[in-house]
Amino acid sequence: MAKKVTLLDISKQLGLSTAAVSKALRGLDGISPETRKAVMDTAIKLGYKDFAESAPSLSTSHTSQSGRVLFVVDPRFMTEAHTMASYFFIDKTLKELGFQSSLQALSVSGEMTDEAVFRDKDVVALFLFGRISAKSVERMVGLNKPIILLDHEFPYAEIDSVMVDHYEGAFLAVRHFVQNGHIRIGYIGDNKLSPGFLARYRGFCDALDFWGLERRSEYMYDVHFADSFGDIHFDIIPSKLDYGNLPSAFFCANDPIAFVVNHALTAQGIRTPDDVSIIGFDNLESCQWQSPPISSLDYQREQVAIQAVNLMLWRMDHPDAPRNKIMVKPELVVRKSVAPPAIK
């Protein structure tokens, strides 16, 4: 019998602590992208649990609740904290039901990096995470397997999806600002980056209208973060801000944007939250390590995973039923980045 690979085996191979290896595999913050990739590559190479490229211990005869489920993601975002944390909860939920899961990279060109995987009869379903091109989705639909979109959607496609309610999350953020006395509230995002970002922007605008607040164009930053290769660059934000005319609060479309904004303001001697309050979205673990800790909308990854796996099981039994779109309500995690506006 082959020796079971442990976290200790991976840590010895890389010269890392077992705690660091565990954090990397679970998608937690505090691990660099380079280290996270090295850990994942080593886990695959050594055959650690479901990170193995194949599943030799998987029986060739399966019950209705067995087989392998693919978590498909653009390799450029595979090692991001949000991606890995989401995969951790999907993997955990599937294991409880007897399924195995594997991370599957989708190349920039939209082609699978391992075509053999899709000839494997053990693959029973796919979760498509984040930004996936319409061309790639159409190709995968041809596999005739249950497909669940996570953190993304194609409104015109007959594909099930599960995500947080981005629109309502924006309302929760604006409500918190209003409750703290803010009336000059700004937004920073990229409306073309994803449907989720656009929904957050629309929710933000409607929330301002709901509370009778003015939409001031100089406080609305629709920044294009993606370059011609599709890579994301949040570091352009500091050069876009008008530091002489800032709102008293910013709702940021995600946490990395909030972190960059916070650092940019600090570099200009503008204090968070004394001068400008900030709320992000996704509730990454690193929110609590910012100075000050950043308030954020929690993505509810565990609840998304549960809903997604339940929907996968339902779709297996109802292959011809109309598509479903399940929205999970986010929750605002309040930290130290919001305070009443300074009196000027």
Side-chain angles (χ1 to χ4, degrees):
M1 175 181 284
K3 176 180 178 293
K4 181 180 179 181
V5 178
T6 67
L7 292 177
L8 182 59
D9 295 322
I10 300 174
S11 67
K12 287 181 177 179
Q13 184 94 357
L14 296 172
L16 299 171
S17 68
T18 55
V21 170
S22 177
K23 289 181 71 174
L25 293 177
R26 294 172 62 196
L28 300 180
D29 290 322
I31 302 294
S32 70
E34 294 78 14
T35 299
R36 196 185 307 278
K37 183 178 186 304
V39 170
M40 291 175 61
D41 289 346
T42 304
I44 292 172
K45 177 182 177 181
L46 297 179
Y48 175 72
K49 293 184 178 179
D50 298 325
F51 285 85
E53 291 180 306
S54 61
S57 63
L58 189 61
S59 172
T60 55
S61 61
H62 311 300
T63 65
S64 60
Q65 291 189 352
S66 65
R68 188 144 56 96
V69 179
L70 301 181
F71 189 90
V72 182
V73 63
D74 187 312
R76 292 172 296 183
F77 314 121
M78 182 174 282
T79 58
E80 287 186 351
H82 178 47
T83 302
M84 292 305 300
S86 297
Y87 174 66
F88 171 78
F89 285 110
I90 287 287
D91 177 62
K92 176 176 178 289
T93 306
L94 287 168
K95 280 180 179 175
E96 292 173 355
L97 294 173
F99 292 95
Q100 291 191 334
S101 69
S102 298
L103 277 168
Q104 175 64 45
L106 184 68
S107 70
V108 176
S109 64
E111 297 297 322
M112 295 297 164
T113 59
D114 185 2
E115 290 289 339
V117 163
F118 290 89
R119 294 192 295 269
D120 187 343
K121 294 182 180 180
D122 289 337
V123 175
V124 296
L126 301 92
F127 290 111
L128 311 185
F129 184 80
R131 294 188 299 136
I132 304 290
S133 71
K135 176 183 176 182
S136 299
V137 172
E138 290 174 2
R139 182 168 176 267
M140 283 182 275
V141 167
L143 296 170
N144 295 318
K145 300 178 187 291
I147 296 176
I148 311 295
L149 282 167
L150 301 172
D151 204 37
H152 199 67
E153 66 172 325
F154 291 96
Y156 55 84
E158 291 299 315
I159 302 175
D160 297 314
S161 61
V162 180
M163 63 188 67
V164 298
D165 193 332
H166 307 281
Y167 182 91
E168 184 167 351
F171 259 80
L172 294 176
V174 174
R175 183 182 69 178
H176 188 62
F177 284 141
V178 171
Q179 289 173 339
N180 278 273
H182 293 275
I183 58 174
R184 297 182 297 111
I185 306 172
Y187 175 86
I188 302 180
D190 181 348
N191 296 340
K192 294 183 179 180
L193 191 61
S194 71
F197 269 41
L198 180 58
R200 293 170 193 182
Y201 171 75
R202 288 173 173 169
F204 173 79
C205 292
D206 288 350
L208 290 185
D209 293 343
F210 180 82
W211 275 286
L213 302 179
E214 181 182 2
R215 295 191 207 173
R216 297 179 58 170
S217 59
E218 66 267 34
Y219 297 158
M220 311 285 268
Y221 290 87
D222 180 16
V223 184
H224 300 303
F225 297 120
D227 62 21
S228 58
F229 299 101
D231 294 319
I232 309 302
H233 301 279
F234 295 130
D235 56 358
I236 66 175
I237 293 173
S239 65
K240 302 291 184 179
L241 295 176
D242 181 358
Y243 298 99
N245 184 24
L246 293 170
S248 64
F250 269 125
F251 172 49
C252 300
N254 70 7
D255 289 336
I257 294 173
F259 301 161
V260 174
V261 170
N262 182 42
H263 295 157
L265 296 179
T266 300
Q268 296 292 324
I270 300 169
R271 301 165 300 171
T272 306
D274 297 339
D275 301 314
V276 177
S277 292
I278 295 174
I279 292 178
F281 204 117
D282 286 337
N283 193 33
L284 298 178
E285 186 186 27
S286 50
C287 283
Q288 61 187 311
W289 309 123
Q290 302 300 305
S291 180
I294 302 295
S295 297
S296 181
L297 277 306
D298 185 29
Y299 194 87
Q300 303 281 34
R301 294 176 185 84
E302 185 168 16
Q303 186 58 228
V304 167
I306 292 170
Q307 294 287 351
V309 172
N310 284 339
L311 182 55
M312 179 196 77
L313 296 174
W314 182 87
R315 179 55 66 189
M316 288 177 172
D317 294 331
H318 304 84
D320 299 320
R323 79 179 185 102
N324 296 277
K325 178 180 178 180
I326 297 177
M327 304 291 280
V328 177
K329 181 180 178 180
E331 292 184 358
L332 179 63
V333 178
V334 177
R335 295 189 176 92
K336 302 292 185 180
S337 63
V338 177
I343 299 176
K344 293 184 179 180

